[in-house]
Amino acid sequence: MIDILLHIALVIGIMLGLVMIAAGLIWLERRTLALWQDRYGPNRTGLFGTLQVVADMIKIFFKEDWIPPFADKKIFVVAPAILMISILLSFAVVPFTPLIGVVNLNIGLLFFLGMSSFGAYSIVLAGWSSNNKYSLIGAVRAASQMISYEVFMGLSLMGVVMLSGSFNMRDIVLAQQGRWFFIPQFLGFIIFFIAGIAETRRLPFDIPEAESELVAGYHSEYSGMKFGMFFVGEYLGITLISAMTTTLFLGGWLGPAFLPPIFWFLIKMFAFILFFILLRASLPRPRSDQLMALGWKVLFPLSMLNVLVTGALVLYFKL
Amino acid sequence: MPDIVSILKDKFPQGILSVQLTKDEFPTLWAEAGSIISILSFLKKEADQPYSMLYDLTAIDEQAKNNRGEHPESIYTIVYQLLSFERNSFIRIKVPLTAQTVIPSITAVWPSANWYEREVYDLFGIKFTGHPDLRRILMPKTWIGHPLQKCHPARATEMAPFQLPEAKQVAEQAAMQFKPEEWGLEKTIADDELMFLNLGPQHPGTHGILRLVVQLDGEDIVNVVPDIGFHHRGAEKMGERQSWHSYIPYTDRVEYLGGVMNNFPYVMAVEKLGGIIVPERAQMIRIMMSELFRISSHLVWYGTFAGDLGMLSPVFFMFNDREKVFDIVEAICGARMHPSWFRIGGVTQDLPNGWKNLIQDFIDYFPKRLDEYDGMVMKNSIFKARTVGIGIYTTAEAIEWGITGPGLRATGFEWDFRKKQPYSGYENFEFDVPTGKNGDCYDRAGVRVEEMRQSLRIIQQCVNNMPDGPYKSDHPLTTPPVKKNTLEDIETLIHHFLNVSWGPVIPPGEAFCSVEATKGNNGYYLISDGNITSYRTRIRTPSFPAMQLVPLIAQGYTLPDLMAILGSVDYVLSDVDR
């Protein structure tokens, strides 16, 4: 009984921690972007502006909960929740340290891929139910982008699965003792990360919301807390992809013993998060057809090649 | 070779009514309405060294004019201004309209006449027979009257108080209903239902209050119809009620990124009318300030263009640099974006102490930044993928549609008015005219980036060679006049008193003056009938024809490309609508 209660406490703790990190990322992104753009960013509320997040949250909670009269109400309300749910569920399989983690699932990787496909529904339904042409275009772009990038996101991970011989995330981390997978699986690492950016719809792949073209894309009609869910969902998505990259390619919690495992995990994860932000500060946005061409004509064949070569080598050396 | 006036007189003995002498010394002919199409198509197609660009088309309401001179009887006069690149000269054809305010449309000769004729119809009520789409362009559809007619009130206080009874509100709202037929759009294409997307007037990608009705097949653009006029402030009408001097601040706001560059053609045109010779120092100060504003305007374009393509950071870097330019402008002029600093006959004040160091610091600092920006924007492969081969037009098309400035040079045609028709002493400067090759978005961007470097060169030469001497002419029409002698002789005292209280009285005549502004060729066509205000102020802006061309170069591309095209054209809505 006490075990179950402890585990429930752990799960709640992880969830709260993640939401806190995602909210903190709003501040982190605004400050680091500002740093790279020769300006200050939010620096007035609290120490270095850290309470900006609280101010933003208060604002967003007290905004009118507006549903446009022309929208499809039920779907409009459910859509942002789907995004939050699918991303938070994905975190269930992430092993933060040997002790911290929600479940130890033997198909952890497949569960993650499944959940990230599920997230695409949120965007498509949000755009569709808004009944706005900009949202619709955004949703259509999102659907095509996310579904195509899902294909080789999965494929790019097969090399990791072959090397570790398991879909279990913990086994994958343990298999990296001595050599992290980003060395033998460098191609897979790059492809997974690119697909991850496309999945989170971040610049340079923020085509579904492309501000200068589509105003705000699929969430143009959203405001208040429902917009807040998309907003925090975006940061949760960044955290998720960073955590997954860390787990799958950078040895998760592994690292020299002078720091506890959770620190190693967080350090690696935040390095990727900062990289996400740096990308946003530096790159323009390709057109959606260019993104699709890159996906199907370059990344897809490369990930197939990666699977073939890794498979052949694994067989040959009987690893 | 006989000059064009005698050629036209021989060719059209009936059509040409008379010849007019103007202060700008352009060949100016009065022609008869019936033969205008044949005269213009002769000038465009058959004449030696043809006049291939319809530079401007406008009208004058002659009904209240004093000092008309010996010209054909006319109520409204239509003015066609053509530019020949081979001759490097303009020609002006005027058509008098007497009883009937109807004239044949010349859209068959120049398709670019379309918007100009709509503008004349909108503002003067003159009908063009054979025009494909004659409806209002700047004023709202429900507007009553034609504002540039002399009988139309110029101020709200001359009109009845504004009221919006229910019936009027309903009618106004009904007029806003979108009916594709009115826009010349068809609902379907080959059984496919198309989508109409209303882009603007409030949209982050249009840089101002521009409305585009886009017809989409998926994301492919089938048609774009611009709806302009949201930024129309009646700048030309205001020119008819402000004194020659007090109109200068309005010009600043015509192309609001160009600052004092907008004063430039206006004060030069007034000086031409008044016969004022501007001292050398004033001329060079004017050039220096204009080039500073060219840099500042191009920086805004650079940052926002990159922003249109999804780059978040450049706009911050470039606005920081623009701030440095504004610091200089502020130190010299006392204001930042709209200093209104040029005066008839010179500039407001002399340069302040220490101006050289300020500018030299910037000249030393800026090239490195430009190189950095090249690496960040121009050499970025995604940026190239978004701009190379997008929104192409050729030199011939650019000339056909009246495009000037970087948009014309990007097609590979080296035509810069600072070189070809030097004004204010540009002939003394060494600088290159950057050109592109393909006339796509990337080339238009490249030309502007290089222009900033050339502007720096010009500014450096100004710093090195700034002559001494007065910053204002001592011509009696200089406004405000030089104060120095006013308390010593009665003549200057009177000039000072009159010019400051009334404003200068500019002798009758007409003159056109243009400069190579940031967006292209910006010209003022001023007509004086010997009064303290201008009788007609025509502002020919480069953004207006550029906007007219957008639909043509956007067709067949996708929605994201439309944003790249809009950004690369570099229009300013206040410059389109005036």
Side-chain angles (χ1 to χ4, degrees):
Chain A
M1 186 63 196
I2 208 88
D3 271 6
I4 295 175
L5 282 178
L6 270 179
H7 198 73
I8 289 175
L10 182 70
V11 170
I12 292 174
I14 290 176
M15 200 179 87
L16 285 179
L18 287 170
V19 175
M20 294 284 279
I21 287 180
L25 282 187
I26 299 174
W27 173 83
L28 183 75
E29 167 155 55
R30 290 176 67 179
R31 289 291 289 188
T32 43
L33 264 185
L35 179 74
W36 287 318
Q37 292 173 341
D38 291 355
R39 55 191 179 90
Y40 290 114
N43 63 352
R44 297 303 161 99
T45 33
L47 194 65
F48 300 115
T50 38
L51 291 181
Q52 185 66 38
V53 178
V54 181
D56 283 352
M57 281 298 150
I58 292 173
K59 187 190 92 172
I60 241 169
F61 272 114
F62 281 89
K63 275 210 163 180
E64 186 186 354
D65 188 31
W66 165 253
I67 299 171
F70 44 80
D72 187 335
K73 288 190 183 58
K74 283 178 201 145
I75 302 177
F76 188 82
V77 174
V78 168
I82 296 178
L83 184 74
M84 287 287 275
I85 291 170
S86 70
I87 295 178
L88 282 174
L89 277 179
S90 304
F91 274 109
V93 296
V94 176
F96 296 95
T97 70
L99 296 174
I100 305 175
V102 180
V103 284
N104 188 1
L105 205 60
N106 59 355
I107 50 158
L109 198 55
L110 293 180
F111 182 79
F112 157 73
L113 290 173
M115 277 301 131
S116 85
S117 305
F118 189 49
Y121 281 102
S122 161
I123 313 300
V124 174
L125 291 177
W128 178 259
S129 65
S130 295
N131 204 359
N132 169 322
K133 288 173 185 172
Y134 288 103
S135 303
L136 178 67
I137 295 177
V140 172
R141 286 181 180 187
S144 60
Q145 169 178 334
M146 293 177 78
I147 291 168
S148 345
Y149 273 68
E150 219 109 83
V151 174
F152 46 86
M153 181 188 238
L155 277 176
S156 68
L157 295 179
M158 288 310 121
V160 170
V161 173
M162 280 185 243
L163 286 179
S164 60
S166 171
F167 279 112
N168 185 315
M169 305 285 277
R170 278 172 199 280
D171 293 349
I172 292 175
V173 173
L174 291 173
Q176 296 182 64
Q177 271 164 340
R179 189 190 52 187
W180 294 351
F181 280 156
F182 85 95
I183 300 167
Q185 279 297 309
F186 192 71
L187 201 56
F189 168 63
I190 298 293
I191 294 170
F192 175 75
F193 196 68
I194 294 177
I197 302 167
E199 281 292 309
T200 49
R201 305 169 304 282
R202 290 276 300 183
L203 251 168
F205 299 152
D206 68 336
I207 294 165
E209 44 180 293
E211 188 226 356
S212 56
E213 298 152 26
L214 300 183
V215 190
Y218 60 88
H219 60 53
S220 297
E221 294 290 350
Y222 281 86
S223 67
M225 203 45 225
K226 289 199 285 294
F227 165 74
M229 286 211 253
F230 280 119
F231 197 49
V232 174
E234 179 179 325
Y235 289 98
L236 275 177
I238 297 171
T239 317
L240 176 65
I241 295 296
S242 303
M244 287 305 288
T245 322
T246 306
T247 313
L248 296 170
F249 294 98
L250 279 158
W253 67 78
L254 300 175
F258 61 86
L259 278 180
I262 185 70
F263 277 88
W264 284 115
F265 189 88
L266 289 177
I267 288 170
K268 294 173 193 170
M269 188 177 86
F270 271 98
F272 279 110
I273 288 175
L274 284 175
F275 187 68
F276 262 105
I277 299 173
L278 185 59
L279 277 181
R280 184 170 178 212
S282 52
L283 287 180
R285 174 192 311 124
R287 247 182 2 235
S288 53
D289 59 300
Q290 290 165 339
L291 181 78
M292 300 305 259
L294 172 76
W296 288 106
K297 290 181 187 163
V298 181
L299 297 179
F300 181 62
L302 277 180
S303 57
M304 291 294 272
L305 190 73
N306 187 43
V307 171
L308 278 177
V309 172
T310 314
L313 290 178
V314 166
L315 277 181
Y316 186 78
F317 291 111
K318 300 271 188 296
L319 287 172
Chain B
M1 198 176 71
D3 71 330
I4 190 70
V5 175
S6 44
I7 293 176
L8 281 176
K9 273 183 170 170
D10 287 349
K11 178 97 182 159
F12 302 98
Q14 308 291 317
I16 301 295
L17 302 171
S18 71
V19 179
Q20 185 183 351
L21 289 179
T22 57
K23 293 274 170 65
D24 49 26
E25 292 169 355
F26 295 168
T28 303
L29 299 138
W30 287 77
E32 183 251 329
S35 47
I36 186 63
I37 291 183
S38 45
I39 292 176
L40 290 180
S41 52
F42 169 76
L43 283 171
K44 183 188 179 192
K45 289 163 193 159
E46 292 156 45
D48 264 5
Q49 300 178 312
Y51 288 84
S52 43
M53 180 184 276
L54 175 70
Y55 182 80
D56 195 12
L57 192 170
T58 187
I60 305 160
D61 181 354
E62 306 265 11
Q63 294 170 85
K65 195 168 178 189
N66 304 317
N67 296 313
R68 268 209 77 218
E70 301 285 307
H71 304 307
E73 214 33 50
S74 169
I75 295 175
Y76 293 103
T77 306
I78 308 287
V79 184
Y80 302 88
Q81 188 173 339
L82 314 181
L83 172 62
S84 164
F85 292 97
E86 286 88 347
R87 291 168 192 261
N88 190 13
S89 76
F90 290 102
I91 188 171
R92 187 182 290 131
I93 311 285
K94 290 180 156 189
V95 177
L97 297 181
T98 43
Q100 282 181 314
T101 52
V102 177
I103 184 169
S105 161
I106 61 155
T107 42
V109 187
W110 268 289
S112 61
N114 188 322
W115 276 26
Y116 287 111
E117 287 180 350
R118 276 177 67 189
E119 189 190 352
V120 170
Y121 163 72
D122 189 0
L123 302 180
F124 288 91
I126 294 162
K127 293 208 171 62
F128 291 84
T129 49
H131 190 287
D133 183 27
L134 197 64
R135 54 198 170 89
R136 285 188 184 273
I137 185 166
L138 293 176
M139 304 304 286
K141 201 157 70 173
T142 49
W143 190 264
I144 297 164
H146 299 279
L148 278 182
Q149 291 178 350
K150 287 285 171 185
C151 55
H152 194 282
R155 293 170 196 266
T157 46
E158 294 167 26
M159 304 167 94
F162 178 78
Q163 280 171 335
L164 189 63
E166 179 121 18
K168 191 178 172 191
Q169 185 181 334
V170 170
E172 292 275 355
Q173 280 173 350
M176 281 195 280
Q177 281 286 321
F178 175 65
K179 297 188 192 88
E181 316 83 67
E182 287 178 6
W183 297 69
L185 295 171
E186 292 190 10
K187 272 190 172 158
T188 52
I189 176 169
D191 304 331
D192 262 344
E193 190 107 349
L194 297 178
M195 177 161 87
F196 292 106
L197 187 68
N198 181 52
L199 216 99
Q202 313 294 342
H203 188 280
T206 54
H207 302 293
I209 32 179
L210 165 70
R211 180 178 174 209
L212 296 167
V213 173
V214 188
Q215 199 175 20
L216 291 172
D217 179 12
E219 278 209 46
D220 295 337
I221 292 169
V222 179
N223 246 320
V224 183
V225 185
D227 181 13
I228 63 170
F230 295 98
H231 213 309
H232 180 62
R233 297 146 298 171
E236 294 181 7
K237 185 80 175 175
M238 284 188 237
E240 296 172 14
R241 77 162 201 234
Q242 295 294 324
S243 79
W244 294 97
H245 169 63
S246 64
Y247 186 61
I248 294 175
Y250 291 91
T251 64
D252 270 36
R253 285 139 183 94
V254 165
E255 194 267 278
Y256 55 71
L257 297 177
V260 296
M261 183 106 75
N262 291 290
N263 307 156
F264 213 165
Y266 175 73
V267 293
M268 281 204 301
V270 180
E271 283 153 7
K272 228 179 233 179
L273 284 173
I276 306 171
I277 307 291
V278 182
E280 269 184 26
R281 183 175 173 85
Q283 289 196 348
M284 197 175 279
I285 295 176
R286 284 179 178 180
I287 287 182
M288 187 173 78
M289 298 313 291
S290 298
E291 294 302 326
L292 276 174
F293 266 103
R294 190 187 309 281
I295 291 176
S296 115
S297 163
H298 280 2
L299 279 173
V300 174
W301 158 81
Y302 206 175
T304 51
F305 181 43
D308 287 341
L309 302 179
M311 290 183 97
L312 286 180
S313 303
V315 74
F316 293 104
F317 299 135
M318 287 147 191
F319 271 58
N320 276 349
D321 286 348
R322 177 173 179 246
E323 208 56 27
K324 291 197 190 323
V325 178
F326 276 160
D327 285 345
I328 300 172
V329 172
E330 194 179 6
I332 294 175
C333 309
R336 287 152 48 85
M337 270 182 84
H338 304 127
S340 325
W341 199 60
F342 293 179
R343 292 289 177 270
I344 300 165
V347 293
T348 317
Q349 288 170 311
D350 208 348
L351 294 169
N353 293 336
W355 66 273
K356 269 190 186 174
N357 296 338
L358 270 180
I359 295 181
Q360 192 61 51
D361 286 349
F362 180 72
I363 296 175
D364 296 339
Y365 154 88
F366 193 50
K368 275 177 247 142
R369 298 287 288 189
L370 274 179
D371 293 343
E372 254 181 63
Y373 299 155
D374 274 354
M376 180 171 62
V377 182
M378 298 301 288
K379 290 181 188 157
N380 185 304
S381 57
I382 301 178
F383 179 83
K384 280 187 186 164
R386 287 293 307 275
T387 51
V388 173
I390 305 293
I392 300 174
Y393 55 81
T394 62
T395 307
E397 281 169 326
I399 292 172
E400 183 78 19
W401 287 91
I403 306 296
T404 49
L408 176 61
R409 293 192 281 277
T411 63
F413 186 39
E414 191 182 326
W415 186 273
D416 189 319
F417 281 88
R418 290 174 294 174
K419 282 275 189 208
K420 301 288 178 182
Q421 302 181 0
Y423 48 90
S424 191
Y426 264 112
E427 63 275 17
N428 305 324
F429 287 87
E430 259 181 35
F431 62 98
D432 299 328
V433 178
T435 54
K437 250 191 338 228
N438 308 318
D440 56 11
C441 292
Y442 189 78
D443 280 7
R444 288 196 281 279
V447 166
R448 289 198 187 91
V449 171
E450 191 50 34
E451 272 188 13
M452 286 194 262
R453 294 202 169 87
Q454 298 304 327
S455 289
L456 273 186
R457 269 177 83 188
I458 297 174
I459 297 169
Q460 180 72 68
Q461 292 169 52
C462 291
V463 171
N464 295 345
N465 305 309
M466 183 64 71
D468 289 331
Y471 60 91
K472 225 180 223 184
S473 162
D474 58 3
H475 192 282
L477 287 174
T478 303
T479 316
V482 186
K483 181 91 180 172
K484 175 173 79 192
N485 297 327
T486 44
L487 295 179
E488 285 166 30
D489 63 83
I490 185 73
E491 196 67 16
T492 26
L493 180 65
I494 290 172
H495 286 315
H496 191 279
F497 179 70
L498 288 182
N499 284 6
V500 169
S501 54
W502 271 10
V505 177
I506 299 295
E510 48 190 78
F512 170 86
C513 232
S514 68
V515 298
E516 185 70 34
T518 57
K519 320 267 178 259
N521 200 250
N522 184 10
Y524 279 74
Y525 173 42
L526 300 179
I527 300 175
S528 168
D529 66 342
N531 220 321
I532 53 160
T533 62
S534 129
Y535 183 77
R536 170 91 174 96
T537 305
R538 164 67 183 168
I539 312 171
R540 192 276 182 192
T541 56
S543 300
F544 186 77
M547 183 56 68
Q548 190 176 191
L549 182 61
V550 164
L552 272 99
I553 56 177
Q555 274 167 16
Y557 293 104
T558 61
L559 195 58
D561 294 330
L562 178 64
M563 297 305 147
I565 290 169
L566 287 176
S568 74
V569 164
D570 188 27
Y571 55 84
V572 164
L573 258 303
S574 59
D575 202 36
V576 177
D577 296 343
R578 282 151 290 138

